[in-house]
Amino acid sequence: MATPAPLVPATTTEEGEITVSPTELRELRDELQRFMMEYRFGLQEVETKIGILRDEFLLTHDYNPIEHVSSRVKSPDSLVEKVQRKGIDGDFASIRRSITDIAGIRITCSFTADVYRLFDLLTAQDDVRVIQVKDYIADPKPNGYKSLHAILEVPVFLSTGRIEVPVEVQFRTIAMDFWASLEHKIYYKYATRVPDELLESLKDAADTAAELDARMERLHRQIRGTAPASAVTVHELPAPVSSEEPDAAPTGSGDAGLSAV
């Protein structure tokens, strides 16, 4: 069966410019809205799970391990820029297959132990699938950046049925978040050409932030009468399933991935 022609067909001018009909523009707009809607719903699913864990912790343990939660869905402009930068085909199927951080959420915790505890509780849920994990806390980046990045897949139930939506989740402490925010601003100001002395100062600041995290966690454990921080064993995370790299700032810090929230 022949494919029906559009109501107002697209034409090519003598200069090679392509004109698109109003009908085609409306169809593209509607398809883009449906595409982004799925990621917005996936983000809401993760936010709901985090909210439940936070409220349950407060009620059961009289303690809230979450200091702050921020989230975003990539803007169309940001999505197009990444598609072009990575050389991905522009159809929605290719974008869905190749880009896993369209929806992103950042969870700022009080202490490093809370980061891993929250990760474990979230990923232990039977409808959450771990696609990829990058543990920059156990293995910091050369510039000092620390954070736990995970791509998680959650189900979304639409009128047309169940779909699986990937969501990038970043876990970090207050000190890690403060450092990453400052580093991102510096690299933005210098357009990635940061003087060497500033880079050295940033690395020193990252080391200081790590020391502060460790000291504050020891104090916290002492106050609550729990095991000393030195008793915490190295956390083993699941091996990554996908090779998709989360969004990164010019330094590879990953902070730019959620900078628009």
Side-chain angles (χ1 to χ4, degrees):
M1 180 183 232
T3 302
L7 294 178
V8 184
T11 59
T12 304
T13 66
E14 293 180 358
E15 292 78 14
E17 296 177 346
I18 298 176
T19 61
V20 182
S21 71
T23 299
E24 290 172 320
L25 281 176
R26 281 192 293 269
E27 290 176 351
L28 181 60
R29 177 203 62 193
D30 293 344
E31 189 173 359
L32 176 61
Q33 288 178 342
R34 287 192 296 268
F35 180 79
M36 301 302 288
M37 175 186 68
E38 297 174 3
Y39 290 92
R40 188 170 71 251
F41 291 160
L43 194 59
Q44 291 172 1
E45 288 286 338
V46 176
E47 288 175 321
T48 298
K49 292 177 180 295
I50 293 299
I52 290 173
L53 288 173
R54 177 176 52 202
D55 293 347
E56 189 268 341
F57 253 89
L58 278 172
L59 181 63
T60 306
H61 305 288
D62 192 28
Y63 171 67
N64 178 16
I66 301 172
E67 292 288 341
H68 182 65
V69 176
S70 56
S71 62
R72 65 97 181 95
V73 176
K74 276 186 182 296
S75 67
D77 286 346
S78 177
L79 183 58
V80 168
E81 187 277 331
K82 184 163 187 177
V83 167
Q84 293 175 335
R85 173 163 48 87
K86 288 186 169 287
I88 299 168
D89 291 339
D91 61 282
F92 289 112
S94 296
I95 295 172
R96 190 190 311 276
R97 186 169 54 251
S98 303
I99 300 181
T100 55
D101 63 344
I102 295 174
I105 183 168
R106 177 178 298 147
I107 305 167
T108 305
C109 299
S110 306
F111 307 102
T112 303
D114 292 332
V115 165
Y116 290 116
R117 180 186 304 174
L118 203 59
F119 172 86
D120 286 340
L121 291 171
L122 183 59
T123 56
Q125 299 183 23
D126 57 13
D127 60 345
V128 175
R129 178 170 173 253
V130 179
I131 301 298
Q132 183 191 65
V133 178
K134 296 281 189 178
D135 189 355
Y136 298 119
I137 297 176
D139 185 18
K141 292 196 173 184
N143 65 345
Y145 174 81
K146 285 188 171 186
S147 186
L148 176 62
H149 293 194
I151 303 295
L152 307 180
E153 194 175 68
V154 295
V156 170
F157 296 88
L158 304 175
S159 60
T160 53
R162 168 173 170 158
I163 60 172
E164 304 295 332
V165 179
V167 178
E168 181 192 35
V169 186
Q170 295 181 3
F171 302 85
R172 58 178 61 159
T173 65
I174 301 171
M176 295 173 196
D177 190 59
F178 176 66
W179 183 93
S181 177
L182 175 62
E183 184 247 18
H184 180 67
K185 291 175 181 176
I186 289 175
Y187 269 81
Y188 181 80
K189 176 179 175 60
Y190 285 93
T192 75
R193 297 181 180 86
V194 183
D196 290 341
E197 60 270 19
L198 266 182
L199 290 176
E200 293 177 5
S201 295
L202 274 173
K203 181 60 172 65
D204 289 342
D207 295 339
T208 300
E211 292 175 7
L212 179 62
D213 263 339
R215 181 178 300 179
M216 296 303 291
E217 186 152 352
R218 284 195 297 269
L219 287 172
H220 172 69
R221 290 176 177 275
Q222 183 178 347
I223 292 169
R224 294 183 68 88
T226 56
S230 58
V232 179
T233 57
V234 175
H235 194 93
E236 294 187 3
L237 298 173
V241 180
S242 168
S243 61
E244 165 67 11
E245 180 75 23
D247 251 1
T251 60
S253 70
D255 193 61
L258 290 171
S259 61
V261 298

